[in-house]
């Protein structure tokens, strides 16, 4: 539960955030225990979830029967993402804050380029300020039909003050409108394990 989305006057919600977990208790079990002990909080969370659901439906609907996989290392996540990119049939959309010139960045771009050559609709967006990737490294992807979007490029020194704080921190990958990845990982080696040149 994120405090940012909670009403500061909601006493039940604040109590929930401040509830300590037992040392051996998982987050899932702690949430179940806290909710089972607090019907007021259950009602408040259900109301918020319904509100969020109606907003999502207005943006294009929802889906059921989904499953979630949690990756505990950068290597696991990158390998799963690359596998999904390699098996894409129709579309790939990747948004990232940092796109590196390192092994992870290059491997990602290579897989996106191969997908575009298979006539998969590929869209890549990366943040201009935080990425070290060169435009020339992305030329093969563009030549294969991939769409490359540089978010809020700083082209002149006079733009720095206005553009510096307006960055895209999204880290999202969707494949064929069926598989999605999200989280805090950027497409750089530092987010991978030692095998990929990082510590994550």
């Amino acid at each position: 539960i994120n405090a940012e989305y909670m009403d500061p006057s909601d006493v039940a919600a604040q109590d929930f955030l401040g509830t300590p977990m037992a040392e051996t208790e998982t987050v899932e079990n702690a949430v179940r225990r806290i909710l089972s002990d607090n019907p007021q909080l259950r009602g408040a969370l259900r109301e918020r979830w319904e509100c969020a659901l109606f907003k999502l439906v207005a943006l294009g609907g929802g889906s059921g029967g989904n499953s979630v996989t949690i990756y505990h290392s950068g290597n696991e996540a990158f390998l799963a993402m690359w596998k999904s990119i390699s098996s894409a049939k129709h579309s790939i959309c990747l948004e990232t804050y940092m796109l590196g010139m390192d092994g992870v960045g290059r491997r990602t771009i290579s897989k996106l380029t191969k997908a575009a050559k298979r006539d998969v609709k590929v869209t890549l967006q990366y943040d201009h300020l935080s990425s070290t990737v060169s435009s020339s490294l992305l030329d093969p992807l563009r030549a294969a039909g991939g769409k490359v979007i540089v978010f809020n490029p700083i082209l002149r020194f006079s733009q720095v003050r206005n553009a510096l704080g307006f960055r895209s921190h999204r880290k999202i990958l969707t494949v064929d409108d069926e598989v999605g990845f999200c989280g805090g990982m950027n497409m750089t080696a530092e987010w991978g394990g030692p095998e990929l040149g990082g510590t994550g």
Side-chain angles (χ1 to χ4, degrees):
I1 307 298
N2 191 332
E4 180 183 344
Y5 297 104
M6 288 194 168
D7 181 352
S9 65
D10 188 334
V11 176
Q14 294 306 313
D15 285 347
F16 177 77
L17 288 172
T19 300
M21 285 174 53
E23 279 187 34
T24 59
E25 192 173 33
T26 66
V27 173
E28 181 181 355
N29 287 339
V31 170
R32 288 180 189 278
R33 174 179 54 79
I34 293 164
L35 290 177
S36 67
D37 293 344
N38 194 327
Q40 180 186 357
L41 179 58
R42 271 201 315 273
L45 291 177
R46 184 179 299 110
E47 186 178 309
R48 286 192 178 87
W49 174 245
E50 288 172 356
C51 179
L53 184 61
F54 284 124
K55 288 180 181 178
L56 288 172
V57 168
L59 293 172
S63 62
N66 301 302
S67 62
V68 176
T69 301
I70 297 174
Y71 297 102
H72 297 279
S73 75
N75 282 5
E76 283 183 309
F78 283 132
L79 291 173
M81 286 189 260
W82 290 332
K83 183 177 179 181
S84 288
I85 291 171
S86 295
S87 63
K89 300 287 188 284
H90 309 291
S91 65
I92 299 168
C93 181
L94 172 62
E95 294 183 71
T96 186
Y97 177 55
M98 297 168 66
L99 181 60
M101 287 281 286
D102 53 35
V104 167
R106 289 174 184 272
R107 189 167 173 183
T108 302
I109 293 166
S110 172
K111 290 192 174 291
L112 291 173
T113 303
K114 289 176 182 175
K117 288 179 178 177
R118 298 193 313 268
D119 291 326
V120 174
K121 181 181 178 183
V122 175
T123 304
L124 167 66
Q125 176 182 293
Y126 66 93
D127 188 83
H128 180 256
L129 184 66
S130 59
S131 296
T132 58
V133 68
S134 67
S135 183
S136 60
L137 189 63
L138 296 165
D139 284 343
L141 175 56
R142 292 187 185 98
K147 182 177 182 181
V148 178
I149 302 166
V150 184
F151 183 84
N152 203 12
I154 300 173
L155 304 175
R156 299 187 304 274
F157 182 75
S158 61
Q159 292 179 293
V160 170
R161 185 169 59 182
N162 293 330
L164 196 61
F166 184 46
R167 313 309 328 157
S168 174
H169 287 269
R170 292 188 184 105
K171 303 165 190 78
I172 302 169
L173 168 65
T174 62
V175 178
D176 292 338
D177 293 329
E178 293 181 356
V179 179
F181 295 84
C182 64
M185 288 175 44
N186 290 292
M187 302 308 290
T188 62
E190 68 183 291
W191 297 93
E195 302 90 336
L196 298 177
T199 57

